[in-house]
Amino acid sequence: MNSKFGLIYEGKAKKIFAHKDSDKVIIEFKDDATAFNALKKAKFEGKGELNCLISSKIFEFLIKNNIPTHFLELKNNNSMIAQKIKIIPLEVVLRNIAYGSLCKQTTIKPGSVLERPLIDIYLKNDNLNDPLLTKDRINLLKIIDNKELEFISGMTLRINKLLKKFFFNINLKLVDFKLEFGYNSKGEIVLGDEISPDNCRLWDLNQSNGTIVSLDKDRFRNDLGGFIEAYGEINKRINDFI
Ligand code: UDP
């Protein structure tokens, strides 16, 4: 039986459908690419599949390493079955190397290796352009309490350690990434959304002269070309390694 009853939500890169089991959803990955809060848009055939396959493999790896995630199983190449979660409206960014907005907003030079990972938390709100929050602002907005904030930050640091190793094994440097969390039906906080080259900066380590070669959404953001090829390369390296 087709378990896609109805569309619950459509975002920039994914559609969420109801599942016959009310605790679950079907997440379909779209071929759309957006950047700069969707000011820049394009479609790349096969992107949805690649992000779905890459995310599934990474979620499986994290689950094996005791990270609670919403991922349950791959449904087909461009959709997965996940726990239904209530998304916490925060975008949790962890940075190992300074790049992107950190360098636009501060005097830190792009490419600087950070002494310790930096966690930047943004409000997930497109109308406000996802502003950077402070701990006090998170308290003020009552989005999560301090204990939950510590839990999420701790889990993000653990995920970073695991992902850094995972990507190093396939010759990629994990520069930074964005995570989203949510509450499942038991009220537990689990990792949601996706982990793919759409929300991770990944630099190719197969470069002898130290040039930065991005294999992630920066190829689209900065018109570097070879966008879908880069995503294909990540998927290939993961499959060759596993
Ligand atoms: N990121 C994301 N969604 C966003 C903003 C950022 O997935 O709405 C990811 C981005 O791909 C990068 C990391 O978070 O891996 C840090 O992004 P940054 O804050 O530097 O913003 P950007 O330079 O992408 O505007």
Side-chain angles (χ1 to χ4, degrees):
M1 189 182 87
N2 183 0
S3 50
K4 277 188 197 175
F5 292 143
L7 184 66
I8 299 178
Y9 174 80
E10 178 162 5
K12 289 184 282 238
K14 295 185 283 294
K15 287 181 186 171
I16 314 287
F17 293 94
H19 188 277
K20 57 183 184 303
D21 180 339
S22 64
D23 282 349
K24 298 178 182 174
V25 289
I26 299 164
I27 304 176
E28 189 179 289
F29 288 66
K30 306 199 292 187
D31 283 342
D32 303 71
T34 62
F36 313 116
N37 201 5
L39 286 176
K40 182 169 177 171
K41 285 185 211 170
K43 243 186 202 316
F44 292 90
E45 205 187 321
K47 172 182 178 277
E49 272 197 26
L50 286 166
N51 274 354
C52 181
L53 295 170
I54 293 168
S55 283
S56 302
K57 286 278 172 346
I58 295 176
F59 279 132
E60 280 168 3
F61 164 75
L62 292 176
I63 290 166
K64 258 190 224 147
N65 285 281
N66 300 316
I67 300 291
T69 88
H70 68 156
F71 177 78
L72 295 169
E73 59 179 308
L74 198 61
K75 185 170 190 289
N76 53 45
N77 280 356
N78 74 339
S79 59
M80 57 171 68
I81 299 174
Q83 292 177 22
K84 187 176 193 169
I85 59 171
K86 186 170 172 277
I87 282 281
I88 297 169
L90 296 175
E91 302 206 344
V92 182
V93 168
L94 184 143
R95 303 173 191 276
N96 293 305
I97 295 176
Y99 215 66
S101 69
L102 176 62
C103 302
K104 292 186 187 129
Q105 294 164 1
T106 71
T107 51
I108 299 174
K109 291 211 167 53
S112 314
V113 177
L114 304 182
E115 255 173 58
R116 66 182 78 87
L118 172 70
I119 295 181
D120 279 335
I121 304 186
Y122 299 83
L123 181 66
K124 187 175 157 69
N125 185 318
D126 284 343
N127 294 332
L128 296 176
N129 244 321
D130 299 345
L132 180 62
L133 294 177
T134 60
K135 196 175 171 187
D136 284 347
R137 284 188 184 191
I138 294 172
N139 274 330
L140 179 74
L141 295 171
K142 296 191 168 40
I143 298 174
I144 47 173
D145 63 29
N146 280 336
K147 231 176 102 194
E148 290 171 318
L149 182 57
E150 265 170 38
F151 179 78
I152 284 175
S153 302
M155 207 198 302
T156 302
L157 290 170
R158 275 165 58 213
I159 292 170
N160 181 49
K161 275 196 184 152
L162 290 165
L163 290 186
K164 259 169 75 173
K165 222 185 290 166
F166 180 93
F167 286 120
F168 184 76
N169 281 332
I170 55 170
N171 265 328
L172 294 168
K173 186 179 272 187
L174 179 61
V175 173
D176 57 29
F177 56 91
K178 185 261 299 182
L179 303 177
E180 291 182 24
F181 295 88
Y183 301 99
N184 66 14
S185 62
K186 293 185 208 146
E188 299 158 339
I189 294 181
V190 301
L191 177 65
D193 194 41
E194 65 181 283
I195 301 188
S196 73
D198 263 14
N199 54 10
C200 297
R201 281 200 170 93
L202 298 165
W203 291 352
D204 195 6
L205 286 170
N206 290 346
Q207 303 292 324
S208 48
N209 53 4
T211 21
I212 293 173
V213 173
S214 301
L215 294 178
D216 55 50
K217 200 157 90 172
D218 275 350
R219 301 210 73 80
F220 173 65
R221 287 190 190 98
N222 305 328
D223 297 315
L224 301 173
F227 171 72
I228 202 74
E229 290 78 5
Y231 282 43
E233 174 67 18
I234 306 258
N235 189 44
K236 183 180 176 300
R237 287 194 199 179
I238 292 175
N239 287 323
D240 288 350
F241 183 74
I242 288 175

